[in-house]
Amino acid sequence: MALQLSERWADRAACKGFRLEHGTEEWTRSWFPEKGNHQSKAVQRALAICNECPVKAECLLYSLEFDLVHGIYGGTTPQDRRERFNQRISRYRPRRR
């Protein structure tokens, strides 16, 4: 069974509460860090919040469907998503003899 996105999934996202509580600037620093800054404490906190989020799967699916290459989605960094994609693609590549 494929996961279907409801239009309102983002309303239930844990990061929405974080943004309301801490403000847009802190939310942006945590979920949309500068390139190469994915090990910061802010990003690690974002990933921890994502891992407890009730719509983590929907968020990840959203990022994959729309090929979002920046930001934390569904508990993954852009690098995580690239690695997962490459692993899946490698299963379908013909093996060289």
Side-chain angles (χ1 to χ4, degrees), residues 49-68:
I49 290 169
C50 285
N51 284 327
E52 300 299 321
C53 184
V55 293
K56 179 181 174 182
E58 290 90 341
C59 186
L60 179 57
L61 179 61
Y62 176 80
S63 73
L64 297 173
E65 282 190 1
F66 292 97
D67 195 27
L68 301 177

Side-chain angles (χ1 to χ4, degrees), residues 71-84:
I72 306 299
Y73 289 93
T76 64
T77 65
Q79 181 178 346
D80 295 334
R81 293 191 298 277
R82 275 192 306 277
E83 289 172 4
R84 287 181 185 193

Side-chain angles (χ1 to χ4, degrees), residues 21-36:
E21 185 176 330
H22 297 279
T24 299
E25 186 175 323
E26 183 63 25
W27 176 79
T28 301
R29 184 181 4 240
S30 299
W31 271 268
F32 296 93
E34 293 180 20
K35 189 174 183 176

Side-chain angles (χ1 to χ4, degrees), residues 89-97:
I89 291 298
S90 69
R91 291 185 209 163
Y92 299 102
R93 289 186 181 136
R95 296 183 190 255
R96 293 185 180 160
R97 295 181 187 195

Side-chain angles (χ1 to χ4, degrees), residues 4-29:
Q4 297 292 317
L5 288 175
S6 73
E7 292 181 22
R8 312 267 322 165
W9 68 267
D11 289 341
R12 299 187 329 267
C15 61
K16 181 178 180 181
F18 181 92
R19 187 176 190 175
L20 292 172
E21 185 176 330
H22 297 279
T24 299
E25 186 175 323
E26 183 63 25
W27 176 79
T28 301
R29 184 181 4 240

